[in-house]
Amino acid sequence: TVLLNDFGERKIPVIKVIRQHTGWGLKEAKDASETPDWTFECLTSAHAIEFVNDLREAGATAERI
Protein backbone atom coordinates (compact mmCIF):
# COMPACT_ATOMS: atom_id res chain seq x y z
CA THR A 1 0.00 0.00 0.00
CA VAL A 2 1.22 3.48 -0.88
CA LEU A 3 0.32 6.40 1.38
CA LEU A 4 0.53 9.92 -0.05
CA ASN A 5 0.73 12.32 2.90
CA ASP A 6 1.30 15.57 1.02
CA PHE A 7 1.87 16.45 -2.63
CA GLY A 8 4.39 19.14 -1.72
CA GLU A 9 4.98 22.32 -3.67
CA ARG A 10 5.02 20.73 -7.13
CA LYS A 11 1.56 19.33 -7.71
CA ILE A 12 1.71 18.70 -11.47
CA PRO A 13 4.66 16.25 -11.34
CA VAL A 14 2.90 14.34 -8.55
CA ILE A 15 -0.28 14.08 -10.63
CA LYS A 16 1.79 12.76 -13.54
CA VAL A 17 3.32 10.07 -11.32
CA ILE A 18 -0.11 9.04 -10.02
CA ARG A 19 -1.42 8.78 -13.59
CA GLN A 20 1.62 6.77 -14.65
CA HIS A 21 1.28 4.22 -11.86
CA THR A 22 -2.51 3.92 -11.73
CA GLY A 23 -3.56 4.37 -15.35
CA TRP A 24 -6.16 6.90 -14.22
CA GLY A 25 -7.28 10.00 -16.06
CA LEU A 26 -6.35 13.55 -15.15
CA LYS A 27 -9.40 14.24 -12.96
CA GLU A 28 -9.00 11.07 -10.88
CA ALA A 29 -5.28 11.68 -10.37
CA LYS A 30 -5.86 15.33 -9.44
CA ASP A 31 -8.56 14.36 -6.94
CA ALA A 32 -6.27 11.73 -5.43
CA SER A 33 -3.42 14.21 -5.02
CA GLU A 34 -5.74 16.57 -3.14
CA THR A 35 -7.12 13.89 -0.81
CA PRO A 36 -5.52 13.95 2.66
CA ASP A 37 -3.66 10.72 3.43
CA TRP A 38 -4.59 9.13 0.09
CA THR A 39 -3.78 5.41 -0.20
CA PHE A 40 -3.38 3.10 -3.17
CA GLU A 41 -3.16 -0.70 -3.07
CA CYS A 42 -0.39 -1.94 -5.34
CA LEU A 43 -0.38 -5.50 -6.68
CA THR A 44 3.27 -6.11 -5.79
CA SER A 45 5.69 -4.85 -3.19
CA ALA A 46 8.13 -3.86 -5.92
CA HIS A 47 5.49 -1.66 -7.57
CA ALA A 48 4.73 0.02 -4.24
CA ILE A 49 8.41 0.79 -3.67
CA GLU A 50 8.79 2.20 -7.18
CA PHE A 51 5.59 4.25 -6.80
CA VAL A 52 6.77 5.75 -3.49
CA ASN A 53 10.21 6.55 -4.91
CA ASP A 54 8.67 8.26 -7.94
CA LEU A 55 6.31 10.29 -5.73
CA ARG A 56 9.23 11.41 -3.56
CA GLU A 57 11.27 12.39 -6.62
CA ALA A 58 8.29 14.49 -7.78
CA GLY A 59 8.36 16.35 -4.44
CA ALA A 60 5.62 14.54 -2.52
CA THR A 61 5.72 13.11 0.96
CA ALA A 62 4.85 9.44 0.60
CA GLU A 63 5.54 6.11 2.28
CA ARG A 64 4.87 2.41 1.87
CA ILE A 65 2.64 0.94 4.57
Side-chain angles (χ1 to χ4, degrees), residues 1-2 6-7 13 19-20 26 32 46 48 52-53 55-57 59-60:
T1 302
V2 173
D6 183 41
F7 60 81
R19 291 186 70 197
Q20 172 189 351
L26 181 59
V52 168
N53 289 338
L55 285 169
R56 288 179 179 166
E57 286 178 17

Side-chain angles (χ1 to χ4, degrees), residues 12-43:
I12 292 172
V14 173
I15 291 171
K16 288 180 180 180
V17 169
I18 293 171
R19 291 186 70 197
Q20 172 189 351
H21 283 276
T22 62
W24 294 349
L26 181 59
K27 180 173 179 5
E28 292 85 0
K30 181 181 178 291
D31 291 346
S33 72
E34 295 172 342
T35 303
D37 297 326
W38 175 75
T39 60
F40 182 76
E41 294 287 329
C42 295
L43 295 177

Side-chain angles (χ1 to χ4, degrees), residues 1-5 38-53 55-56 61-65:
T1 302
V2 173
L3 171 64
L4 175 64
N5 296 312
W38 175 75
T39 60
F40 182 76
E41 294 287 329
C42 295
L43 295 177
T44 66
S45 178
H47 181 235
I49 292 168
E50 181 182 350
F51 197 173
V52 168
N53 289 338
L55 285 169
R56 288 179 179 166
T61 304
E63 62 186 292
R64 188 173 146 248
I65 54 173

